[in-house]
Amino acid sequence: MIRLIKCEILKIFKKISFRVLLLIILISSFLTCYISYKKVDNKYNQYPIIEMADKRNLTDDYNKLATNINKINSKSNIKLNKIIDNGVTLLIFSSIIIIIISSSILGNEINKKSIKELLTKPYKRSKILISKYLVVYIITFLLSLLIFVSYVIFTSILTKINIFNLKDYMIFNKSIISVSYVIKYLIKYVINSIPIYFLSTFTIFLTTFIKNQKAIIPFNSVLFIMSPVILNFFLSIKFKYIIYTFIPYLDFSIFKDIYSIYLLNIEYNVNFNIFLGIIILLTYSLFFIIISIKIFNKKDFY
Amino acid sequence: MKIIEVKNLTKKVGKKNLLDNISFSLEEGEILGVVGKNGSGKTTLLKTIVGLIHPTTGEIIINGFDLKKDYEKAIKNVGCMIEVPIMYDYLSGKDNLEIYRKMFKGIPKKRVDEIIKLISLEGSEYKKLKIYSLGMKERLGIGVSILNNPKLLILDEPTNGLDPVGIKDLRDFIKSLNGVSVIITSHMLNEIENICDKVMFIDNGKIIDIKEVNHNKKKYKFYVDNIPLTKKILYPYSTNRELEIEVTDEEYLLISKELIKNDIKIFKVSETSSLESDFLSLIGETND
């Protein structure tokens, strides 16, 4: 399978459009960083304080979290953090790119029928499909890493702060710990890129059985962008089981506002949180991979 | 040793049998031609053999391995080109060969250069596939099919788009393959007759007949002035009591001498493909 993965990666990297894409990501990274740097001004000197909840049951954990976050925010360099945080929005841009790559890695091959040549090589179909999943995950990782590294470097250059030597604080196991600035934000980027891995899985899954491949990219893109709206809609009609689908977790940036999430959980009596999101995305990913392998194995290519 | 055994292969789609109880085998080094009308099931058969289509019932054993149970081992020694080869048109011919070479274990880099020379694509190997002509793509497809030095080569209409030089090169290439079994489909019956050891006639997904090809004999048709006497002379050799015979070169010489000796004027002698007359009599003249 390693041979298959190498061949797939070679095919992607040899595409001029992919190389242009990497350049666009670098340019976007710089522009986003520059615009964020210019927008952050001296008036914004401290983080807003996160409100404490009412002294009701189940609020102790929330209040502890809010207190810790307030403590961290009071010690942090808000301007620097704001600039770096804006880099996470680039992950939204890369999500659309990954949807396009995921759709083409199998969909294009099926549409253009080059899949015939691939399927007549001595590899089981399941191996061929899994290699395509793995390649998309590798590309997702590389793109996220490129965005993160380029953004941190550009931020360091523009702010004239050596971010790589800077320390910051984060919450670990309900306590505040000191960590390297880069590590803290790397963790943030990694967590925020988890939905992208799911989106790529879902896209490849759809291409195994949907004949109109061109519909998949806009469908998934709209689903991704509209996920918070869809969540609010279903919660408003009291369908709280929506939190057990993958839809609310397509963009983890909704978990930034912990107070709103707290209120949502109280109002609808649910436990909507990022950890549940990670488990749900992993579970659905596994399910889609297994089903897509079964579909792909049974397909006839006339 | 049998390189491939197909047993009771059937492919049903809805109520229609695309393949209907197909059984045949091929020994090592044998070349089998598959002929039939358009839509008779030739390509479906080849696609089923290489695993692109799953049979409804039946078995395919390649090199001792069941295709369904041991796909990787069965297909390891198979090279194929099914229909018009479609590869990555944003890559060059050489890059395409490289991609497929990397998929196999133990094929050295120089094999790609050997293949390029063999398929006469020198000078065009660095050009993007999207500007290749159909013939060039067919050549490349053949090149990909032989990358792994297969024991069984499956070629579906390989002469499509090839110029006469290309067709001759292909014929010579197939004939040069020692010990390699080939299954080839083509509408060029004279080429099939030239290359193959046996020919399978297929119609409506069924095997109509499998015939050995006798390369030593040729079919001739005589146009003469004295038909009754000619018929008498040709009678021992005639296939249909008419003026058509299937004979070796030596027999032909003897017949010609006998006709001249009997003062029979020969207006014309045409060499006909025996395969064509077999095709027309077994499968019929109408096309789908």
Side-chain angles (χ1 to χ4, degrees):
Chain A
M1 211 192 307
I2 293 180
R3 272 192 289 274
L4 272 176
I5 292 171
K6 280 184 186 170
C7 291
E8 289 291 340
I9 290 176
L10 197 64
K11 277 190 273 175
I12 290 174
F13 274 84
K14 279 202 175 258
K15 273 189 182 173
I16 293 173
S17 54
F18 183 75
R19 291 185 222 172
V20 167
L21 189 71
L22 293 178
L23 192 62
I24 290 172
I25 285 174
L26 274 173
I27 294 169
S28 304
S29 182
F30 174 73
L31 286 173
T32 309
C33 185
Y34 184 76
I35 292 166
S36 303
Y37 172 70
K38 287 291 178 192
K39 267 179 97 173
V40 166
D41 59 25
N42 289 321
K43 285 182 193 173
Y44 206 12
N45 284 325
Q46 62 181 42
Y47 278 103
I49 306 290
I50 297 172
E51 293 176 43
M52 294 296 121
D54 290 335
K55 294 283 179 197
R56 286 184 275 180
N57 281 345
L58 305 174
T59 60
D60 286 348
D61 276 347
Y62 167 77
N63 283 338
K64 269 185 197 154
L65 179 64
T67 306
N68 280 339
I69 291 176
N70 285 334
K71 274 185 192 167
I72 288 171
N73 286 347
S74 66
K75 297 181 201 192
S76 291
N77 183 331
I78 180 173
K79 278 183 271 192
L80 193 61
N81 290 355
K82 281 287 172 197
I83 296 170
I84 295 278
D85 270 342
N86 283 337
V88 176
T89 59
L90 278 172
L91 289 176
I92 296 170
F93 170 55
S94 71
S95 299
I96 308 292
I97 294 168
I98 292 300
I99 289 171
I100 294 170
I101 293 175
S102 308
S103 165
S104 69
I105 201 167
L106 180 65
N108 260 3
E109 292 234 41
I110 292 176
N111 273 351
K112 291 185 179 178
K113 302 199 178 183
S114 56
I115 193 81
K116 278 190 304 172
E117 290 295 337
L118 196 52
L119 292 178
T120 54
K121 299 296 169 282
Y123 293 95
K124 284 184 191 170
R125 286 194 189 190
S126 53
K127 277 188 186 171
I128 291 172
L129 189 58
I130 289 170
S131 69
K132 288 192 182 284
Y133 276 113
L134 291 174
V135 164
V136 170
Y137 297 154
I138 291 168
I139 302 281
T140 304
F141 171 74
L142 289 174
L143 285 184
S144 307
L145 193 67
L146 177 69
I147 289 170
F148 175 71
V149 169
S150 62
Y151 203 83
V152 164
I153 290 172
F154 290 139
T155 305
S156 213
I157 293 168
L158 285 169
T159 59
K160 293 176 186 147
I161 297 171
N162 186 352
I163 291 171
F164 298 93
N165 282 344
L166 215 57
K167 289 272 181 213
D168 203 349
Y169 304 92
M170 65 181 271
I171 298 161
F172 180 74
N173 207 18
K174 297 180 184 178
S175 310
I176 296 175
I177 57 168
S178 170
V179 287
S180 152
Y181 200 90
V182 169
I183 297 290
K184 177 182 169 178
Y185 275 91
L186 181 63
I187 293 170
K188 196 169 186 174
Y189 271 63
V190 166
I191 290 172
N192 275 283
S193 63
I194 289 171
I196 306 176
Y197 290 95
F198 170 78
L199 273 167
S200 61
T201 308
F202 184 56
T203 305
I204 296 177
F205 161 71
L206 291 176
T207 58
T208 55
F209 64 91
I210 289 183
K211 286 192 177 166
N212 185 358
Q213 306 284 347
K214 287 180 185 172
I216 293 173
I217 295 169
F219 172 74
N220 274 0
S221 304
V222 167
L223 194 66
F224 165 67
I225 292 164
M226 298 293 285
S227 63
V229 173
I230 298 170
L231 169 68
N232 284 329
F233 169 74
F234 279 101
L235 286 176
S236 69
I237 61 169
K238 310 287 184 206
F239 184 71
K240 60 182 183 180
Y241 297 105
I242 187 74
I243 70 157
Y244 299 110
T245 69
F246 57 81
I247 292 169
Y249 308 103
L250 294 180
D251 181 7
F252 277 179
S253 62
I254 57 168
F255 294 108
K256 249 167 103 170
D257 185 351
I258 65 163
Y259 187 60
S260 300
I261 297 294
Y262 164 76
L263 288 178
L264 188 144
N265 284 337
I266 293 290
E267 186 179 346
Y268 297 106
N269 193 24
V270 292
N271 190 10
F272 184 55
N273 64 76
I274 202 167
F275 300 106
L276 176 66
I278 292 172
I279 291 166
I280 283 180
L281 289 182
L282 274 171
T283 309
Y284 273 95
S285 293
L286 211 60
F287 171 74
F288 287 137
I289 290 171
I290 292 168
I291 299 296
S292 62
I293 289 171
K294 286 196 182 300
I295 293 172
F296 193 62
N297 275 347
K298 284 194 159 48
K299 211 173 165 85
D300 283 333
F301 291 91
Y302 287 99
Chain B
M1 185 203 151
K2 287 190 170 59
I3 192 76
I4 180 170
E5 274 184 275
V6 174
K7 297 177 187 173
N8 306 323
L9 197 69
T10 298
K11 175 66 184 176
K12 201 167 184 165
V13 174
K15 288 181 182 172
K16 192 179 174 190
N17 278 355
L18 298 182
L19 298 174
D20 193 349
N21 204 26
I22 302 244
S23 296
F24 69 92
S25 64
L26 205 59
E27 299 288 330
E28 256 183 65
E30 264 193 325
I31 303 175
L32 172 73
V34 181
V35 298
K37 291 189 287 191
N38 294 334
S40 58
K42 305 185 295 297
T43 301
T44 306
L45 173 62
L46 299 194
K47 282 183 174 177
T48 312
I49 289 172
V50 298
L52 288 173
I53 294 173
H54 300 293
T56 310
T57 56
E59 257 188 327
I60 300 168
I61 315 281
I62 300 176
N63 209 21
F65 296 103
D66 187 325
L67 191 75
K68 195 174 175 182
K69 294 174 188 165
D70 277 310
Y71 179 80
E72 288 178 347
K73 286 178 183 166
I75 217 75
K76 198 173 69 165
N77 291 308
V78 176
C80 69
M81 188 184 75
I82 306 288
E83 292 177 316
V84 177
I86 299 171
M87 285 167 261
Y88 306 105
D89 56 7
Y90 59 91
L91 296 175
S92 66
K94 188 166 184 176
D95 281 342
N96 269 285
L97 283 167
E98 263 304 312
I99 295 271
Y100 291 112
R101 178 192 74 83
K102 284 179 157 75
M103 288 188 195
F104 292 101
K105 197 177 177 181
I107 298 181
K109 257 192 160 175
K110 63 177 183 176
R111 179 77 179 141
V112 167
D113 295 319
E114 279 169 20
I115 299 275
I116 288 169
K117 207 172 173 179
L118 204 64
I119 57 176
S120 307
L121 272 183
E122 281 160 304
S124 306
E125 69 266 41
Y126 295 108
K127 294 180 184 165
K128 297 267 185 269
L129 206 69
K130 58 179 141 203
I131 64 160
Y132 274 28
S133 66
L134 174 61
M136 289 164 82
K137 286 180 185 173
E138 290 281 342
R139 285 173 194 266
L140 189 66
I142 293 166
V144 170
S145 71
I146 57 172
L147 260 175
N148 59 331
N149 291 307
K151 288 183 185 169
L152 173 64
L153 188 58
I154 295 173
L155 301 171
D156 185 21
E157 310 267 0
T159 52
N160 251 355
L162 290 182
D163 55 36
V165 173
I167 294 171
K168 184 189 173 296
D169 287 344
L170 177 68
R171 186 197 317 139
D172 293 342
F173 166 71
I174 292 175
K175 281 183 170 176
S176 72
L177 297 170
N178 285 326
V180 177
S181 309
V182 182
I183 301 176
I184 180 170
T185 69
S186 179
H187 287 302
M188 298 184 72
L189 298 177
N190 53 330
E191 288 301 325
I192 292 282
E193 205 168 16
N194 227 325
I195 302 168
C196 300
D197 300 312
K198 50 189 189 186
V199 177
M200 183 162 79
F201 296 86
I202 186 168
D203 193 29
N204 287 323
K206 287 187 187 138
I207 295 178
I208 306 298
D209 199 2
I210 299 180
K211 286 191 170 189
E212 300 279 332
V213 175
N214 192 335
H215 294 290
N216 292 328
K217 289 190 176 182
K218 288 175 193 164
K219 233 176 187 177
Y220 299 97
K221 188 168 183 175
F222 286 87
Y223 299 85
V224 294
D225 62 346
N226 191 340
I227 292 172
L229 183 56
T230 309
K231 276 188 184 177
K232 220 173 160 179
I233 294 168
L234 295 182
Y235 181 75
Y237 310 97
S238 174
T239 51
N240 56 3
R241 297 184 187 180
E242 294 296 327
L243 300 177
E244 273 184 25
I245 54 171
E246 193 172 346
V247 293
T248 62
D249 289 345
E250 292 78 23
E251 286 167 340
Y252 175 76
L253 202 58
L254 287 168
I255 290 164
S256 302
K257 279 181 180 169
E258 194 61 31
L259 289 173
I260 292 166
K261 195 173 143 186
N262 283 277
D263 273 332
I264 294 171
K265 281 199 180 88
I266 305 169
F267 300 122
K268 187 172 125 176
V269 181
S270 61
E271 194 179 322
T272 60
S273 162
S274 60
L275 197 58
E276 186 181 325
S277 49
D278 287 340
F279 181 96
L280 293 171
S281 65
L282 288 168
I283 289 171
E285 295 192 45
T286 57
N287 276 324
D288 285 337

